[in-house]
Amino acid sequence: MTDSVTILGLESSCDDTGAAVVRHVAGHAPEILSNVVAGQTELHEAFGGVVPEIAARAHTEKLDLCVEQALAQAGLRLADLDAIAVTAGPGLIGGVLAGVLCAKGLAAGTGLPLIGVNHLAGHALTPRLTDQAAFPYLMLLVSGGHCQFLVARGPDDFTRLGGTIDDAPGEAFDKAAKLLGLPQPGGPSVEREACVGNAKRFKLPRPLLDRPGCDMSFSGLKTALLRERDRQVAEHGGLRVPDRADLCAGFQAAVTDVLAEKARRALREYVTLAPSEPVLAVAGGVAANQAIRGGLETVCAEFDTRFLAPPIALCTDNAAMIAWAGIERFRTGHRDGFDLAARPRWPLDRRAPAMLGSGKKGAKA
């Protein structure tokens, strides 16, 4: 094992362009030397969601600038690095391709090794970057496009205990915000409104709690929210501000309750592995929601299990997690060639059946 490894990571799977430098000295905690993120919220604001073509063009324009800034903040040159890591999927294919091509160019020009990283693994390995969590740990990966309970056994070894069969929570939050006339991204908007709302006023469903297992569904919850909104509009001639706040609070409480109960079930499976230090970690953009964090913390207390959540800046898409996942793979001896492909789909647990169907491009999740 190399005592010290320094890797540049690139992230461009959705609408955040990122470059970061992470260093790890064996026996010590990893060090994030820089973490640059260029957001695209303003570019997509008028469309009510991310436009793939606009995102891909923005990544192409910003990647080299982000790399330059990341190296400058770290006080390093390309020659000081040990490898280049890049998100190779899953994600919006135009953005993923932009990142992979940039990484290949850097690797070809410097002679540095190239390491393709699964974006989901970046999130799932974040607890090792921030808190040095020991394998195996239980991970709830909850974001705009994904929601899964995983047992992380190694850098490339994940077992899925359950996941969403339709909308991911982040997608559901975005759709809820759109239904209620709130700005995107929807998660922070709904959370702000929920802070002043009454979560008990509207009886919204908790889907799949009447069925065993850890699978989840949020599409029906979104539909129930739509019906309640329409009822309020019909009764009052429009959606009043207090009604909107109460709907947000009820929606957020329903998502929190579902995730908490499913976490409870996942923990029952996980603890049968007899981990020496039981851990439930959460990562992904929705992990920034304080109500959801609180619900998961309560469940962990029931099981005498440590709860880990990354800093807010490392919940959303970032390149530091990609650099760290690259370090994990680098230390196992993994290297990729220039035939590294950009992949729109790339499930973490390749042994599990597809949650959302499969096609020519492979399993969705």
Side-chain angles (χ1 to χ4, degrees):
M1 177 183 293
T2 304
D3 288 340
S4 178
V5 177
T6 305
I7 285 185
L8 169 70
L10 304 181
E11 159 59 23
S12 58
S13 64
C14 190
D15 61 336
D16 286 319
T17 309
V21 179
V22 175
R23 174 175 291 158
H24 182 229
V25 178
H28 298 270
E31 184 180 3
I32 300 175
L33 302 182
S34 63
N35 188 25
V36 175
V37 178
Q40 301 179 10
T41 301
E42 293 181 359
L43 296 177
H44 305 280
E45 191 172 13
F47 303 96
V50 177
V51 181
E53 292 82 0
I54 294 176
R57 184 179 296 275
H59 288 310
T60 302
E61 294 173 350
K62 294 180 180 180
L63 271 164
D64 57 341
L65 299 176
C66 288
V67 168
E68 187 176 10
Q69 291 176 36
L71 290 170
Q73 290 181 17
L76 299 175
R77 302 165 300 160
L78 286 169
D80 299 319
L81 303 173
D82 294 296
I84 308 291
V86 61
T87 295
L92 301 177
I93 190 60
V96 176
L97 185 60
V100 169
L101 290 175
C102 180
K104 286 181 179 180
L106 291 171
T110 60
L112 291 170
L114 176 68
I115 302 174
V117 170
N118 186 314
H119 174 81
L120 304 180
H123 282 303
L125 294 170
T126 296
R128 291 176 54 76
L129 168 63
T130 58
D131 295 274
Q132 295 78 65
F135 295 122
Y137 57 86
L138 179 63
M139 161 59 62
L140 170 57
L141 200 165
V142 55
S143 65
H146 301 273
C147 184
Q148 323 177 39
F149 284 101
L150 302 157
V151 176
R153 304 172 187 267
D156 288 304
D157 188 357
F158 302 93
T159 301
R160 192 185 71 215
L161 302 183
T164 181
I165 62 174
D166 44 49
D167 291 355
E171 182 181 3
F173 270 106
D174 285 343
K175 290 179 178 178
K178 194 169 185 178
L179 290 173
L180 299 175
L182 296 172
Q184 298 291 328
S189 297
V190 172
E191 185 175 12
R192 281 193 297 271
E193 290 284 316
C195 288
V196 295
N198 177 6
K200 297 181 179 180
R201 178 182 169 193
F202 296 107
K203 304 298 182 183
L204 297 177
R206 272 65 172 163
L208 296 191
L209 291 192
D210 58 341
R211 302 184 192 179
C214 300
D215 287 345
M216 295 158 281
S217 169
F218 297 99
S219 180
L221 173 59
K222 174 198 64 185
T223 302
L225 178 74
L226 171 62
R227 289 173 179 164
E228 288 290 355
R229 182 208 67 178
D230 289 347
R231 188 176 293 117
Q232 295 304 309
V233 170
E235 289 181 5
H236 305 290
L239 186 62
R240 301 179 302 181
V241 172
D243 297 334
R244 185 173 66 184
D246 292 345
L247 285 168
C248 286
F251 181 84
Q252 179 176 267
V255 174
T256 299
D257 288 348
V258 170
L259 292 175
E261 175 55 31
K262 296 298 183 174
R264 192 173 283 111
R265 298 179 189 182
L267 276 167
R268 292 193 186 106
E269 291 190 50
Y270 164 66
V271 295
T272 62
L273 300 175
S276 57
E277 297 180 8
V279 167
L280 168 61
V282 63
V286 182
N289 184 287
Q290 295 302 312
I292 291 174
R293 287 194 185 209
L296 295 173
E297 283 187 278
T298 299
V299 173
C300 285
E302 297 173 14
F303 286 80
D304 194 24
T305 294
R306 186 183 180 194
F307 175 70
L308 294 180
I312 301 300
L314 296 181
C315 288
T316 52
D317 292 349
N318 65 90
M321 69 180 190
I322 303 304
W324 170 248
I327 288 175
E328 294 259 35
R329 302 197 85 193
F330 185 88
R331 288 198 181 281
T332 65
H334 181 89
R335 307 291 187 273
D336 282 297
F338 288 107
D339 59 348
L340 175 68
R343 304 169 64 172
R345 303 173 186 175
W346 191 356
L348 279 180
D349 185 352
R350 294 179 289 276
R351 297 159 295 193
M355 291 290 300
L356 301 175
S358 186
K360 293 182 179 179
K361 297 178 181 178
K364 292 182 180 178

